[in-house]
Amino acid sequence: MAVSLGANTYNRQNWETSDFPILCQTCLGDNPYMRMIRETYGKECTICNRPFTVFRWCPGAKMRYKKTEVCQTCAKTKNVCQTCLLDLEYGLPVQVRDAALKMQDNIPKSDVNREYYQQNNEVALSKSDGSGGAGGKAPNELLMKLARTTPYYKRNRPHICSFWVKGECKRGEECPYRHDMPTDPNDPLANQNIKDRYYGVDDPVAEKLLKRAYDMPKLTPPNDRSITTIYVGGLDANIKEQDLKDAFYQYGEIRNINLVTKSSCAFVNFSMRESAEKAVQGCFNKLIVKGRRLKILWGKGQGAPSAKGPQEEAKPLPPVPGLPPALPQPPTELLAHDFFGLGAEGSGMPPGPPDILKQFGGGVLPPLPGPAGIRMPLMAPPGTHHHVIHYPSQDPQRLGTSKSRQNDN
């Protein structure tokens, strides 16, 4: 059946033309100087089946070529990228964003109703500033935890070479595809559908992110109530002290901020413990300053006593494996001889010299005669006896000799 010229012209009026695509930073790539191939009416939109302008480009070196998959009207309706169909503001799937903001999908699924909806939506977008989706919604806690703040260029890698998997690839390093083993076919992430991603239904990536959000650990406050300091990590040279004040002043009075540029961190000290707890609760895994997600932890008390008890500190350490055991104690009959002059008390040190100062009434020793400016060595007064240390080698009976045999010789 031939189509009349009027009907053909009417259908062409609904086709879309554009000069530049709607893309996220990850799909656009890190190269600021790149070329795009623009093809007017080069493909039908995957969602609404209307012809639209297709763009094709390479995001960077050793990356695969990418192209737009949906028209700009569908992308503006959901506020998503035309290629990856992730949210332009948070970098998350539509299902995660709608679940966090409690948004309902009212887009019809049938052909006639969807075409009528798209026409009305296109007229409404032409009269507005062009933003759609969740642009006017306030961010909530779940989105701030899961939002991606930096581009993920690993998503632009080439596809896996099927010949290399079978061991038949002969290109080597010149192969434009990736030489890696594929994932498990039973993995839910291996079955992704572009329509499920757009409508936010049964998206395996969204289910994985939601499960991760519910399993995130919580930061418990320390038992020491004197700790009012918060550690802030992940800083860069662009984040100044005033930026941290603007982020934390809403939780209470700030005593001081210690910015450690060398370690890329800072310590925010609050005046009240309640203010510090509010700051940790409101900023943990959610604080983003100048496009960087900052790490929030509790500070440590300065000079705080050890948490270990006295019994736990005195607990002996386990022996080192491989070392010989300790030597046994000597028998008591050997200790009775006191060969080394250790004394009866067993103090481990020989007795010291006699107190010479007592000979002179506890005063200062008199000056000794000698040349001027030269101090003579101190000598013991007459009549005093030093304690002589007895060594085992000085014992005449140590090697088996006796007094009787010495007298016989």
Side-chain angles (χ1 to χ4, degrees):
M1 180 178 178
V3 181
S4 63
L5 182 61
N8 192 13
T9 305
Y10 173 77
N11 293 332
R12 284 178 178 270
Q13 290 178 357
N14 298 328
W15 294 2
E16 182 182 274
T17 58
S18 57
D19 296 330
F20 197 82
I22 301 176
L23 302 174
C24 61
Q25 183 63 34
T26 301
C27 294
L28 196 59
D30 57 347
N31 184 12
Y33 307 101
M34 68 175 181
R35 294 180 297 178
M36 282 189 177
I37 301 175
R38 178 176 177 268
E39 185 180 0
T40 306
Y41 309 143
K43 183 184 176 182
E44 289 186 354
C45 177
T46 310
I47 304 301
C48 64
N49 298 329
R50 293 190 307 166
F52 71 102
T53 303
V54 179
F55 294 88
R56 189 173 182 268
W57 72 98
C58 182
K62 296 183 180 180
M63 299 293 178
R64 72 176 188 270
Y65 275 85
K66 310 192 75 173
K67 58 185 175 65
T68 53
E69 302 291 343
V70 298
C71 64
Q72 292 195 4
T73 303
C74 296
K76 292 178 181 179
T77 303
K78 287 287 189 176
N79 193 33
V80 295
C81 173
Q82 285 188 260
T83 301
C84 63
L85 273 69
L86 296 179
D87 186 76
L88 294 174
E89 184 176 357
Y90 303 105
L92 298 174
V94 177
Q95 184 175 349
V96 177
R97 184 199 63 190
D98 294 349
L101 299 179
K102 298 180 181 180
M103 299 174 58
Q104 295 182 357
D105 185 14
N106 298 324
I107 300 179
K109 304 298 189 296
S110 63
D111 297 339
V112 177
N113 294 335
R114 184 176 60 245
E115 182 178 357
Y116 177 75
Y117 178 84
Q118 292 291 350
Q119 291 178 1
N120 295 337
N121 194 21
E122 188 174 1
V123 173
L125 290 175
S126 62
K127 296 180 180 180
S128 62
D129 56 353
S131 61
K137 296 288 184 178
N140 65 346
E141 181 178 354
L142 180 61
L143 292 180
M144 298 301 293
K145 286 183 178 180
L146 299 178
R148 184 178 293 277
T149 58
T150 57
Y152 184 66
Y153 297 124
K154 191 177 179 180
R155 199 169 64 214
N156 300 333
R157 294 182 303 172
H159 295 294
I160 295 177
C161 179
S162 59
F163 289 91
W164 184 86
V165 175
K166 295 183 293 183
E168 300 177 358
C169 183
K170 300 180 181 180
R171 295 184 178 182
E173 296 181 356
E174 297 180 357
C175 183
Y177 296 96
R178 186 161 40 111
H179 288 181
D180 289 335
M181 293 302 296
T183 58
D184 187 6
N186 298 327
D187 189 3
L189 297 179
N191 301 322
Q192 300 185 28
N193 194 311
I194 189 171
K195 289 189 176 181
D196 293 342
R197 172 70 58 80
Y198 181 81
Y199 290 112
V201 179
D202 298 334
D203 188 0
V205 179
E207 295 177 358
K208 179 181 178 181
L209 291 176
L210 291 175
K211 183 179 179 181
R212 181 192 302 175
Y214 296 140
D215 296 341
M216 278 187 176
K218 296 182 179 180
L219 193 61
T220 57
N223 297 328
D224 189 1
R225 299 288 300 177
S226 62
I227 298 178
T228 60
T229 305
I230 296 177
Y231 168 84
V232 183
L235 305 180
D236 59 358
N238 297 328
I239 300 178
K240 306 299 181 181
E241 182 178 349
Q242 186 61 37
D243 300 329
L244 297 178
K245 287 183 179 180
D246 297 341
F248 288 101
Y249 83 96
Q250 55 183 329
Y251 300 104
E253 181 182 358
I254 299 176
R255 183 176 301 171
N256 55 39
I257 296 179
N258 184 14
L259 188 62
V260 185
T261 309
K262 184 178 180 180
S263 302
S264 300
C265 66
F267 296 91
V268 182
N269 189 7
F270 286 89
S271 301
M272 302 294 294
R273 172 59 180 260
E274 291 75 10
S275 302
E277 292 180 358
K278 291 180 181 178
V280 171
Q281 184 179 2
C283 298
F284 182 64
N285 283 336
K286 293 177 288 186
L287 181 59
I288 299 176
V289 178
K290 291 187 176 180
R292 292 184 62 90
R293 184 185 298 275
L294 304 184
K295 183 179 181 180
I296 302 297
L297 293 175
W298 278 99
K300 296 181 180 179
Q302 299 180 359
S306 177
K308 299 181 179 179
Q311 298 181 357
E312 188 176 356
E313 291 182 354
K315 184 178 179 181
L317 298 176
V320 179
L323 294 181
L327 296 176
Q329 295 291 337
T332 56
E333 51 269 13
L334 294 180
L335 295 177
H337 292 287
D338 192 15
F339 293 117
F340 297 96
L342 301 180
E345 295 81 2
S347 60
M349 292 294 294
D355 193 357
I356 304 177
L357 294 178
K358 293 181 181 180
Q359 304 292 336
F360 301 95
V364 182
L365 291 176
L368 299 177
I374 301 177
R375 297 184 60 86
M376 299 299 294
L378 181 64
M379 304 297 293
T384 60
H385 299 279
H386 289 288
H387 180 81
V388 180
I389 301 177
H390 180 77
Y391 294 96
S393 60
Q394 299 175 352
D395 188 3
Q397 302 180 3
R398 180 171 176 267
L399 299 178
T401 59
S402 60
K403 294 181 180 181
S404 60
R405 293 184 61 180
Q406 293 178 0
N407 295 335
D408 296 340
N409 295 334

